[in-house]
Amino acid sequence: MKRYTFLIFFLLIISAEICKGQTQIRGYLLDSVSLHPVINASIIVKSDNTFTITDSTGYFSINVNRFPETIQISHVAYNQFEYVFKEVPESAFTIYLSTKDEQLETVVFVYNREKENEQPLKKIDWGISEIQKLSSGIGGIDIIRSLQTQPGIQKSSEINASLNVRGSGHGSNKISLNGITIFNSYHLLGIAPMFNSDVINNITLYKSGFPTDKDGYLSSFLDVELRKPSSDEKNIRFELGNLTTKFLYESPLVKDKVSVLFTARYAFFDLYGNIYKKINEKKKDFVPLPKYKFYDGNLIVNAKLPKNYNLFFSFFSNSDNFLYSPSTLDLKCKWTNNLGSVSISKMFSDNLFFRLNSGITQYSFNGEYNPSSIINRKNNITGIENQVYISYKTIYKIDIKAGAFINSGKYYLKNEEKYSYYSLRQASFNVNSYCFGVFADADWKLSNHFSLLGGSRLNFYYPWRKKVYSSPRIQLTYKGKPAGINISFDQTWQFNNLIAPLGFNIPADLWLPADKDIPPQQARQIAFHLTQSIKFFETYLGVFYKEMKNQAELKDGAEIIEIAPAQEITFGSGKAYGIEASLIYRKSPLDIELYYTYSKSIRKFEEINNGKSFAPVYDVPHKLDILLSVDITKNISSGVSWFWSSGPITTMPTGYIFINHGSETNPYPVYTERNNFRMPDTHRLDVSVTFSKTHKWGGSQLTLGLYNVYNQTNAYFLYFKLEENEREETTVIPQQLGIFPFVPFFSYMVKFKL
Amino acid sequence: MQGPVVYDLIWNASVKVICNEDTVRLRNIIYTDNISDYLYNYRNDELANFTSKYKLQIVTSTFDTIIAETDNIPDVNIDSLRISNSFINIFTANTDNANNNYYLVRLINFSEENKSKKQLIFNCSGLSSGRVKIDFPFEKDNSTDSVYVNLYRINKEAFNYHTSLEKAYAANHDPFTIPCLIEGNISNGLGIFTCCSLDTCILKF
């Protein structure tokens, strides 16, 4: 089967090459202001009037017989534009069109690898076109899963949907939607993508070299920027997959001035649970599948105000429900996120930009666990965040960025153990926290190749001791052809802790704010990055070292029910270091990407493992990702991804003791040390094919895929089974649990133009 | 870790309990308790009850030494029993010392058709001293005409030991349970040395 599959893939590549008798020019048309794709723009080859139009992503490709050749681009809303191609472009390029109202010059950005060196890879930056080309998984395009393939970003197990960046836990990453923090928008086991990719315009992930407007978290900053609704046409989009369904509507309210976008997404995993139950419920020892469903939605309004101000409003809401009731226990959880943000911005001149960002975020978790007594947990967080940001380019080759912020957070926790009508034990807290301050940095171009950036952020935090938490940042950058180098130093503070004892994120993980008993976390990181581009190849090498203070872990045997949570937590230090490398080949129609990370993470706590250093659950030393994508034809594209990584860390018993309970004697595992065992390595192969078609009424897209092609069982849990033989000897046999076997998936999307 | 696991009783150990000035040596007698069905291999009925503290000292034939210490525990009485909905309500009284307000309840059904034992532990340390009601889940069937209710008063150490056992057992079966150390008070060993007081009632239907 494996050989047959390889042969088909090989034939696909060959046939794509054979078809390429003429030369193809491929590119994207985007709006120069909104960066929104320009759809249905006409592209004409002037010499022979060969004609095509852009698709829903602004993409086009057209055959050209000779060079130099003039391409004419026209659209009813934009200035007509002509460009002379003197030779075949090495890969896809982007053209930013200006509307007839704007007097901006149309810009052509030729995708040139040398231009990548202007920003050595300290961050990951994906625009709308890159996002749409990401491989589609079971639940659709998943930005978090795609980020997990990148160097420096690990995942601690197959069922971990979160990011572990450079040796830190997932609670150390700030994920923000249009500048406002979102606390826990993961869906169960990462089965479905965190966000609906249809509304995302851009994502940026900083691993180091943090700008001074980024702080409050230790490890990384993931900015998810929502896209502006179309200002000139109405669109309706509907998508159905085997796990989720999506709907999108966007329309101008006042043409070219005010526009609105609404999306809704719903997951119906419980449908499969019901089918499974109907087929199997009469079987002996039947255990029902868990019931799980979620929905989310976005509302976006964009308005061009007088005097060139722009107003952007967005509202996001999601809700997840989980229920599992086999005979021995009852587990119910519900978690929700609600987030509203407003942003007002203005470009005063080519040199001066202003933005005011304000928003409210609210996260709520309510869970009940009932093995014998009922354990109930409620954890709510409400945050208000405000930031003013100004950037100014001086005439002295110094770019200055500065601003101020005021944030507040209200954390509520209540844990209760009940039995029948009794509240046996409970712990609760209600803490208001405030963080405010200023930030500024200056980027000084020392020469054509060297620049030096220095700055700091000053944080004032309550409730903690009255002191200033400063976050200095320094960067030295060399931009050359074909290489670029960046060296950075960052200090960051985090004023809350996510207590996540398992190896994967679950909604019951506990957010605790810093207060008199819980000190703020601190990290210092030095990083070095080198990038190089030669012809069709791009290479990257990164090295980092990070030290962390005031890391929080649960004490051995901790029960966050009876007494205040701070008394169940112990504090220690951590460090992480690693090497990241990537090799990318891009030559139309094929892209091949290889990413490798070596990363070591160490923690040391006096009260854990007798003060001996140990690896945290998200320590994954080795990770290798190989991604292939090929545009087979203009309307058919394919993606293949394979990864291999070290197994996750877990805690295994070092022995068994027998304890007599009346008429039976049971063996009980003896745990002596935390995180003392590494599970087997994990690896998996996924493939997908996407068929796109443009119709008079809009467009459609069908994606077919195979998840876990060779049905690899990647362990997320190890346990021991004890079996008695005929001689009544008890033998211990290790067993493992994996999560997803081979799964075919599909999604079908239709888009209507009104 | 793979291979046979052996349950091995220690014989010929010197097992002493020290209370006040007295030292009582436990005799090496293997037997099963009629009510609880627990297996014992050392016993002495002459332990004094008018002491506040007991100390345990075990020296094996290979000269391994285990020591432990526990406080005495007040008596427990079942004031009354009642059946209500799907519970047996057990009425007893908390003491002034919250450390002694933990209970282990064992329900034994001797009916031929439904012979069973069920045991649960309860943490009533958060409740005030005085009368308390413990609700033990119970589904009566037609063949059951009576059940034995054993109410043990245990201390916090014993309660933590039992709950840690449950968690350790669950951690080997459930990926959502955090592995935990088995709690105890034995120096140089695993387990618990503790006192409990017992009252038994028969509930007839």
Side-chain angles (χ1 to χ4, degrees):
Chain A
M1 183 61 182
K2 282 185 188 178
R3 283 187 194 167
Y4 181 66
T5 308
F6 177 76
L7 181 60
I8 289 175
F9 181 69
F10 186 68
L11 284 174
L12 285 172
I13 294 182
I14 292 291
S15 62
E17 285 295 328
I18 290 169
C19 285
K20 202 182 150 188
Q22 299 166 300
T23 303
Q24 269 194 340
I25 293 178
R26 301 153 57 229
Y28 291 89
L29 298 189
L30 302 181
D31 183 291
S32 57
V33 175
S34 69
L35 304 184
H36 189 68
V38 178
I39 304 165
N40 290 333
S42 62
I43 321 290
I44 299 174
V45 177
K46 288 205 84 173
S47 64
D48 58 9
N49 289 328
T50 304
F51 168 83
T52 189
I53 59 171
T54 53
D55 67 9
S56 59
T57 64
Y59 173 82
F60 74 90
S61 79
I62 194 165
N63 293 329
V64 173
N65 291 322
R66 57 160 200 183
F67 287 93
E69 180 59 84
T70 303
I71 303 295
Q72 182 187 76
I73 297 168
S74 54
H75 186 281
V76 60
Y78 295 89
N79 296 317
Q80 191 175 75
F81 175 66
E82 289 188 2
Y83 188 76
V84 178
F85 285 91
K86 293 177 186 169
E87 59 185 4
V88 178
E90 288 168 336
S91 185
F93 58 91
T94 304
I95 296 178
Y96 296 89
L97 293 179
S98 60
T99 66
K100 289 177 178 170
D101 293 336
E102 291 148 358
Q103 299 303 316
L104 298 172
E105 189 179 329
T106 299
V107 173
V108 178
F109 175 69
V110 181
Y111 185 85
N112 185 335
R113 277 146 222 86
E114 290 180 351
K115 284 217 174 250
E116 283 295 308
N117 294 328
E118 289 187 359
Q119 203 157 47
L121 203 64
K122 64 188 181 189
K123 67 175 181 178
I124 295 164
D125 204 351
W126 290 340
I128 193 168
S129 53
E130 284 99 335
I131 292 168
Q132 294 299 328
K133 284 171 79 72
L134 294 176
S135 291
S136 200
I138 293 180
I141 292 175
D142 191 335
I143 287 161
I144 301 295
R145 291 276 186 198
S146 296
L147 283 172
Q148 287 176 343
T149 66
Q150 299 297 298
I153 300 172
Q154 312 279 49
K155 60 178 179 183
S156 60
S157 78
E158 268 288 82
I159 56 175
N160 183 17
S162 59
L163 302 174
N164 297 115
V165 180
R166 288 184 167 172
S168 294
H170 64 273
S172 301
N173 308 309
K174 174 171 176 168
I175 300 177
S176 58
L177 204 57
N178 271 39
I180 306 300
T181 307
I182 188 159
F183 284 97
N184 186 357
S185 186
Y186 298 104
H187 301 296
L188 194 69
L189 307 181
I191 294 172
M194 184 190 289
F195 299 114
N196 184 344
S197 60
D198 295 339
V199 294
I200 297 174
N201 186 56
N202 189 74
I203 66 126
T204 306
L205 176 76
Y206 290 93
K207 301 182 289 184
S208 61
F210 306 127
T212 50
D213 63 316
K214 308 273 179 241
D215 202 5
Y217 282 75
L218 286 195
S219 180
S220 77
F221 298 88
L222 175 60
D223 292 337
V224 179
E225 182 191 315
L226 300 178
R227 70 173 177 87
K228 293 175 183 170
S230 171
S231 59
D232 58 359
E233 60 178 29
K234 291 183 187 177
N235 290 305
I236 291 181
R237 190 184 299 173
F238 176 75
E239 182 172 325
L240 175 67
N242 48 342
L243 291 178
T244 56
T245 182
K246 296 193 286 188
F247 170 79
L248 179 147
Y249 172 81
E250 64 180 323
S251 168
L253 293 178
V254 177
K255 195 172 184 319
D256 296 330
K257 287 212 183 307
V258 183
S259 52
V260 66
L261 182 150
F262 168 76
T263 69
R265 184 169 61 143
Y266 180 76
F268 41 81
F269 306 106
D270 50 349
L271 172 67
Y272 296 96
N274 292 338
I275 295 171
Y276 177 83
K277 184 180 171 188
K278 276 197 177 151
I279 296 170
N280 296 291
E281 62 184 336
K282 290 184 182 155
K283 289 184 184 171
K284 190 186 165 191
D285 295 333
F286 164 72
V287 176
L289 291 178
K291 287 187 182 175
Y292 174 62
K293 58 184 176 187
F294 81 83
Y295 63 82
D296 68 16
N298 290 274
L299 174 67
I300 300 172
V301 177
N302 186 66
K304 289 180 186 171
L305 302 177
K307 298 189 180 178
N308 288 331
Y309 281 93
N310 194 79
L311 172 75
F312 188 94
F313 166 80
S314 70
F315 176 74
F316 168 77
S317 177
N318 78 350
S319 176
D320 292 65
N321 276 275
F322 178 84
L323 171 66
Y324 184 47
S325 296
S327 55
T328 53
L329 66 90
D330 199 12
L331 176 61
K332 291 185 256 199
C333 303
K334 180 175 176 179
W335 61 104
T336 62
N337 284 277
N338 293 295
L339 187 152
S341 72
V342 170
S343 170
I344 297 174
S345 60
K346 178 171 177 173
M347 186 76 101
F348 284 90
S349 66
D350 287 344
N351 298 330
L352 182 61
F353 173 76
F354 162 84
R355 183 181 67 227
L356 168 67
N357 212 48
S358 187
I360 298 178
T361 179
Q362 192 261 340
Y363 169 70
S364 170
F365 171 81
N366 192 346
E368 193 173 279
Y369 179 52
N370 185 3
S372 54
S373 59
I374 301 170
I375 299 170
N376 184 270
R377 165 175 289 178
K378 289 181 184 160
N379 189 198
N380 297 337
I381 306 168
T382 304
I384 299 175
E385 299 178 4
N386 308 284
Q387 179 172 286
V388 167
Y389 174 91
I390 296 172
S391 74
Y392 180 61
K393 294 184 182 183
T394 72
I395 57 173
Y396 303 107
K397 295 186 181 179
I398 300 178
D399 297 341
I400 297 173
K401 297 183 185 72
F405 61 95
I406 303 176
N407 301 332
S408 71
K410 183 170 179 173
Y411 293 78
Y412 170 75
L413 166 72
K414 184 176 179 186
N415 285 321
E416 189 176 24
E417 183 180 19
K418 293 193 285 191
Y419 189 76
S420 183
Y421 302 108
Y422 288 131
S423 175
L424 295 177
R425 299 182 289 169
Q426 67 167 298
S428 64
F429 72 78
N430 201 342
V431 173
N432 290 323
S433 69
Y434 303 91
C435 185
F436 56 94
V438 294
F439 58 88
D441 63 61
D443 190 358
W444 181 19
K445 287 179 177 41
L446 301 170
S447 70
N448 284 339
H449 298 293
F450 284 95
S451 64
L452 177 66
L453 184 146
S456 185
R457 181 181 174 101
L458 303 177
N459 300 290
F460 298 86
Y461 178 76
Y462 174 85
W464 188 233
R465 297 185 213 118
K466 289 177 187 171
K467 70 180 253 188
V468 177
Y469 298 92
S470 67
S471 301
R473 313 272 163 87
I474 303 170
Q475 287 180 52
L476 179 65
T477 305
Y478 167 78
K479 299 172 193 172
K481 292 180 183 179
I485 296 172
N486 175 277
I487 303 170
S488 64
F489 168 80
D490 302 288
Q491 176 164 294
T492 49
W493 292 92
Q494 183 162 347
F495 301 104
N496 57 22
N497 268 284
L498 181 66
I499 308 302
L502 299 178
F504 42 89
N505 64 300
I506 56 172
D509 292 341
L510 190 56
W511 283 101
L512 297 177
D515 66 9
K516 56 180 177 53
D517 297 319
I518 301 174
Q521 303 181 62
Q522 182 195 30
R524 289 178 179 157
Q525 181 182 183
I526 296 175
F528 167 86
H529 305 100
L530 167 69
T531 60
Q532 195 163 18
S533 298
I534 299 173
K535 264 223 142 179
F536 307 113
F537 291 91
E538 302 165 25
T539 59
Y540 158 76
L541 177 69
V543 180
F544 74 93
Y545 176 79
K546 192 194 300 187
E547 285 184 349
M548 292 156 280
K549 288 183 185 174
N550 300 328
Q551 303 294 284
E553 290 276 353
L554 285 174
K555 292 179 182 172
D556 287 332
E559 271 235 74
I560 308 186
I561 290 179
E562 185 170 341
I563 49 180
Q567 298 183 30
E568 300 291 331
I569 294 165
T570 182
F571 297 95
S573 63
K575 64 181 174 188
Y577 51 86
I579 298 174
E580 305 158 7
S582 73
L583 173 64
I584 299 174
Y585 169 84
R586 294 192 203 280
K587 186 176 188 302
S588 175
L590 181 66
D591 288 351
I592 303 175
E593 300 164 55
L594 271 81
Y595 302 110
Y596 171 74
T597 301
Y598 169 75
S599 169
K600 190 73 198 124
S601 186
I602 300 163
R603 295 291 181 270
K604 193 169 160 59
F605 288 69
E606 288 307 314
E607 294 184 71
I608 297 175
N609 291 358
N610 296 317
K612 204 169 70 172
S613 297
F614 64 95
V617 292
Y618 37 83
D619 174 57
V620 178
H622 299 281
K623 183 178 77 100
L624 174 66
D625 288 90
I626 301 176
L627 312 174
L628 275 79
S629 63
V630 58
D631 292 329
I632 301 166
T633 67
K634 180 186 161 188
N635 295 322
I636 304 175
S637 61
S638 177
V640 178
S641 72
W642 180 83
F643 86 89
W644 163 81
S645 75
S646 308
I649 285 272
T650 188
T651 300
M652 293 305 288
T654 51
Y656 273 81
I657 58 169
F658 284 87
I659 295 176
N660 174 241
H661 287 289
S663 54
E664 56 188 20
T665 300
N666 293 328
Y668 286 82
V670 175
Y671 297 97
T672 54
E673 206 173 59
R674 197 181 294 196
N675 297 351
N676 60 349
F677 187 79
R678 190 171 292 282
M679 293 199 240
D681 293 351
T682 59
H683 50 94
R684 193 186 74 235
L685 174 68
D686 305 327
V687 298
S688 67
V689 176
T690 301
F691 304 88
S692 307
K693 199 167 180 185
T694 306
H695 307 276
K696 286 181 194 170
W697 42 264
S700 64
Q701 197 173 72
L702 173 68
T703 300
L704 302 172
L706 301 174
Y707 178 91
N708 198 2
V709 172
Y710 51 82
N711 203 25
Q712 165 69 11
T713 301
N714 289 318
Y716 73 91
F717 178 63
L718 291 185
Y719 65 101
F720 289 99
K721 199 170 151 186
L722 280 85
E723 283 184 351
E724 207 169 88
N725 59 19
E726 56 280 354
R727 291 195 299 270
E728 295 186 350
E729 289 174 335
T730 304
T731 306
V732 176
I733 301 167
Q735 308 271 297
Q736 69 178 22
L737 281 184
I739 183 82
F740 296 119
F742 168 79
V743 177
F745 63 89
F746 78 93
S747 72
Y748 182 65
M749 183 271 291
V750 289
K751 181 181 167 184
F752 300 94
K753 286 186 306 179
L754 302 176
Chain B
M1 182 179 73
Q2 185 167 353
V5 183
V6 179
Y7 179 48
D8 195 12
L9 293 176
I10 301 276
W11 302 100
N12 303 321
S14 163
V15 180
K16 294 176 187 170
V17 175
I18 303 157
C19 45
N20 293 337
E21 301 288 328
D22 298 323
T23 299
V24 174
R25 183 163 176 165
L26 272 62
R27 288 188 287 274
N28 190 190
I29 301 171
I30 186 161
Y31 73 101
T32 302
D33 182 78
N34 285 338
I35 295 178
S36 66
D37 270 350
Y38 272 12
L39 177 69
Y40 296 96
N41 62 340
Y42 287 89
R43 179 176 177 155
N44 191 312
D45 292 333
E46 296 169 4
L47 281 169
N49 198 25
F50 44 84
T51 180
S52 61
K53 208 180 271 292
Y54 292 100
K55 292 180 187 174
L56 173 72
Q57 184 191 68
I58 299 175
V59 182
T60 68
S61 56
T62 54
F63 302 104
D64 294 315
T65 304
I66 291 168
I67 55 175
E69 197 173 287
T70 188
D71 292 332
N72 199 353
I73 200 156
D75 291 339
V76 68
N77 288 310
I78 298 175
D79 294 339
S80 60
L81 292 174
R82 191 174 71 196
I83 292 222
S84 128
N85 296 328
S86 304
F87 293 96
I88 292 178
N89 306 137
I90 305 166
F91 291 89
T92 184
N94 262 0
T95 68
D96 292 332
N97 185 351
N99 270 346
N100 292 329
N101 292 335
Y102 297 84
Y103 301 92
L104 186 150
V105 179
R106 187 177 292 125
L107 209 71
I108 306 166
N109 189 339
F110 285 113
S111 75
E112 286 302 319
E113 292 176 20
N114 192 23
K115 194 168 184 179
S116 62
K117 284 194 179 98
K118 190 174 173 186
Q119 174 179 303
L120 292 173
I121 52 174
F122 297 87
N123 177 358
C124 297
S125 63
L127 303 175
S128 58
S129 63
R131 189 172 164 89
V132 293
K133 176 172 72 108
I134 297 170
D135 295 326
F136 196 101
F138 174 71
E139 293 289 344
K140 181 184 172 310
D141 61 44
N142 293 333
S143 66
T144 302
D145 55 9
S146 64
V147 291
Y148 278 73
V149 178
N150 291 343
L151 176 67
Y152 293 83
R153 185 187 299 283
I154 60 177
N155 60 18
K156 186 177 180 182
E157 281 179 332
F159 176 82
N160 289 342
Y161 166 76
H162 283 285
T163 49
S164 67
L165 274 187
E166 286 176 7
K167 284 183 193 170
Y169 187 82
N172 192 46
H173 295 83
D174 170 14
F176 297 97
T177 300
I178 305 165
C180 87
L181 304 175
I182 295 175
E183 300 211 24
N185 62 355
I186 308 286
S187 169
N188 216 22
L190 272 176
I192 189 78
F193 175 62
T194 185
C195 276
C196 64
S197 52
L198 165 68
D199 193 13
T200 301
C201 267
I202 298 173
L203 184 63
K204 291 189 178 177
F205 304 108

